[in-house]
């Protein structure tokens, strides 16, 4: 037994060392007792229990010990992949607090003061413009707007706050407010109203219509949502388009208080000299095209928005870049004036459409990736069409092309199981959407096998 030696307990042994030991008298004098010999060989607390075994058993024990020592290096090498896997799991777990939709952070914020929760809702609204629900990405986007223009950042922040607050006062769905779904339309209403104002920056009276028009965004979102929900379709940026069109059409270029940029249709053949094309500016139009979703034309702002995209979802980042490239190439195929292409004005609608189809509302597969490219190309040509049509009325094209093209592709019916549109209640971000799709697919295949 591990707790006994020579038929005695460890307590007995301790007692035997403490008491005087009897001695046996031999022919040549006193002989040491058995316990004395053992105490000389093994100090207290370091005695080898194997010595109490017969010799044959001790040989077998030594042999097994040698075998265990020979197997130890193999066991250590076998643990290395497990340890490495654990390290990667820890790293991924830490990254999950900042990537995706930061769900753990949202759960942590639920019992915090309402003021702090409201700030997070507003930041999520900024990121929702590009299909994210990540407050960290929203903070980076705000910083990008500050790089572009303090005035633009101010109008965007004001509109986001007013839009989110209006939704809260109207008792809209709390989870939708917390995800920023009642803030993103307000953000681009505020920034684009500043862009199309003909009075330049820091025309403080403009803040009044910014507040009023951003208050309409939750109203329009709720009204359109009740209609689109019948087909389980998203509202997208329809509220923004309606609010911006109302403002521009109601004021116009010759308004005394709030004049807007004069928008005229093309009345002559534009001068396009292919030998004058500047390739570096074409590449620069890719990040600018992404930034134009917020009404910005700075490549630095576009670069910061791309960083915000990559932090939250690498798949959204990929589709944003692909969509911007497709929009640029489509504009070249239509002989669009180079200045317009360099400014990214032909890219942003395609960028939005590519993100929406390529993993946001459809589960990401290589089939939906190709479908997203097709939708981006379709959006680019629809955008050119609507630009010419709306310019007749002096209206900007906004994101009408994105909204109409995306809804068209979302209403697509197909028997291809790889092109799977997710229920809106399950939509989060592309990586999570794909995980959900694969889990549902696994359940279906398992149920089929059981049958």
């Amino acid at each position: 037994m591990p707790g006994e030696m020579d038929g005695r307990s460890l307590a007995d042994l301790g007692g035997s060392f403490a008491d005087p030991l009897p001695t046996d008298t031999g022919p040549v004098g006193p002989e040491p007792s058995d316990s004395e010999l053992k105490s000389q060989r093994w100090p207290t607390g370091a005695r080898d229990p194997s010595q109490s075994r017969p010799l044959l058993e001790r040989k077998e024990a030594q042999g097994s010990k040698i075998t265990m020592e020979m197997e130890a290096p193999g066991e250590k090498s076998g643990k290395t992949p497990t340890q490495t896997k654990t390290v990667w799991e820890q790293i991924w777990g830490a990254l999950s607090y900042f990537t995706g939709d930061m769900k753990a952070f949202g759960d942590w914020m639920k019992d915090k003061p309402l003021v702090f929760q409201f700030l997070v809702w507003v930041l999520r609204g900024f990121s929702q413009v590009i299909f994210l629900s990540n407050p960290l990405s929203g903070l980076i986007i705000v910083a990008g707007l500050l790089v572009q223009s303090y005035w633009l950042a101010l109008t965007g922040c004001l509109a986001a706050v007013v839009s989110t607050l209006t939704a809260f006062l109207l008792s809209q769905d709390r989870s939708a407010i917390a995800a920023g779904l009642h803030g993103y339309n307000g953000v681009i209403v505020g920034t684009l109203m500043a862009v199309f104002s003909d009075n330049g920056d820091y025309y403080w009276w403009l803040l009044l219509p910014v507040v009023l028009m951003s208050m309409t965004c939750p109203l329009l979102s709720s009204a359109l949502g009740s209609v689109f929900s019948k087909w389980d379709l998203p509202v997208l940026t329809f509220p923004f388009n309606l609010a911006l069109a109302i403002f521009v059409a109601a004021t116009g270029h010759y308004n005394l208080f709030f004049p807007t940029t004069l928008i005229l249709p093309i009345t002559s053949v534009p001068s396009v000299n292919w030998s004058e094309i500047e390739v570096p500016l074409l590449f620069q139009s890719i990040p600018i095209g992404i930034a134009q979703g917020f009404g910005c034309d700075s490549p630095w702002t576009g670069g910061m928005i791309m960083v915000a995209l990559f932090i939250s979802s690498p798949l959204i980042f990929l589709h944003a870049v692909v969509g911007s490239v497709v929009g640029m190439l489509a504009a070249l195929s239509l002989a669009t004036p180079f200045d317009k292409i360099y400014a990214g004005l032909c890219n942003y609608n395609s960028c939005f459409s590519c993100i929406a189809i390529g993993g946001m509302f459809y589960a990401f597969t290589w089939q939906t990736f190709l479908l997203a490219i097709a939708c981006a190309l379709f959006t680019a040509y629809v955008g050119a069409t609507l630009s010419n049509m709306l310019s007749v009325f002096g209206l900007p094209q906004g994101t009408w092309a994105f909204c109409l093209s995306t809804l068209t592709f979302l209403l697509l019916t197909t028997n291809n199981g790889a092109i799977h549109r997710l229920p809106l209640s399950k939509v989060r971000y592309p990586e999570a959407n794909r995980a959900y799709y694969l889990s549902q697919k696994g359940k279906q295949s398992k149920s089929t096998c059981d049958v």
Side-chain angles (χ1 to χ4, degrees), residues 159 218 243 248 262 417:
V248 175
L262 181 62

Side-chain angles (χ1 to χ4, degrees), residues 224-385:
L224 292 172
S226 64
V227 177
F228 289 178
S229 62
K230 299 181 185 298
W231 297 277
D232 200 31
L233 292 172
V235 173
L236 301 177
T237 54
F238 277 109
F240 153 72
N241 286 313
L242 292 171
L244 183 65
I246 290 171
F247 170 73
V248 175
T251 55
H253 178 65
Y254 302 104
N255 186 272
L256 181 62
F257 298 124
F258 307 108
T260 57
T261 303
L262 181 62
I263 301 174
L264 297 173
I266 299 174
T267 57
S268 61
V269 178
S271 176
V272 177
N273 189 347
W274 292 99
S275 62
E276 297 178 355
I277 192 170
E278 299 184 44
V279 176
L281 292 180
L282 287 179
F283 283 104
Q284 185 176 281
S285 71
I286 297 173
I288 293 177
I290 297 173
Q292 280 290 2
F294 293 85
C296 302
D297 59 1
S298 169
W300 295 105
T301 300
M304 294 179 72
I305 294 174
M306 291 171 72
V307 171
L309 286 169
F310 189 81
I311 288 175
S312 181
S313 171
L315 282 178
I316 289 184
F317 169 83
L318 170 66
H319 286 88
V321 173
V322 170
S324 189
V325 171
V326 170
M328 176 192 67
L329 296 176
L332 289 173
S333 70
L334 292 174
T336 305
F338 295 148
D339 290 343
K340 190 175 181 180
I341 298 176
Y342 298 154
L345 295 174
C346 305
N347 303 21
Y348 66 94
N349 275 305
S350 297
C351 171
F352 285 161
S353 295
C354 194
I355 295 172
I357 300 301
M360 197 64 205
F361 299 110
Y362 281 102
F364 177 72
T365 60
W366 68 265
Q367 291 92 336
T368 55
F369 180 70
L370 295 178
L371 189 67
I373 295 175
C375 184
L377 189 63
F378 180 75
T379 302
Y381 293 127
V382 171
T385 303

Side-chain angles (χ1 to χ4, degrees), residues 149-205:
S149 166
Y150 292 157
W151 176 244
L152 212 65
L154 174 62
T155 56
C157 289
L158 177 63
V161 169
V162 171
S163 179
T164 305
L165 182 60
T166 303
F168 181 77
L169 295 176
L170 291 175
S171 300
Q172 296 297 298
D173 181 64
R174 179 63 71 88
S175 62
I177 298 174
L181 294 176
H182 285 287
Y184 70 96
N185 279 295
V187 171
I188 47 181
V189 163
T191 57
L192 268 296
M193 285 179 66
V195 167
F196 284 104
S197 173
D198 207 35
N199 279 333
D201 293 349
Y202 303 105
Y203 179 63
W204 297 104
W205 287 107

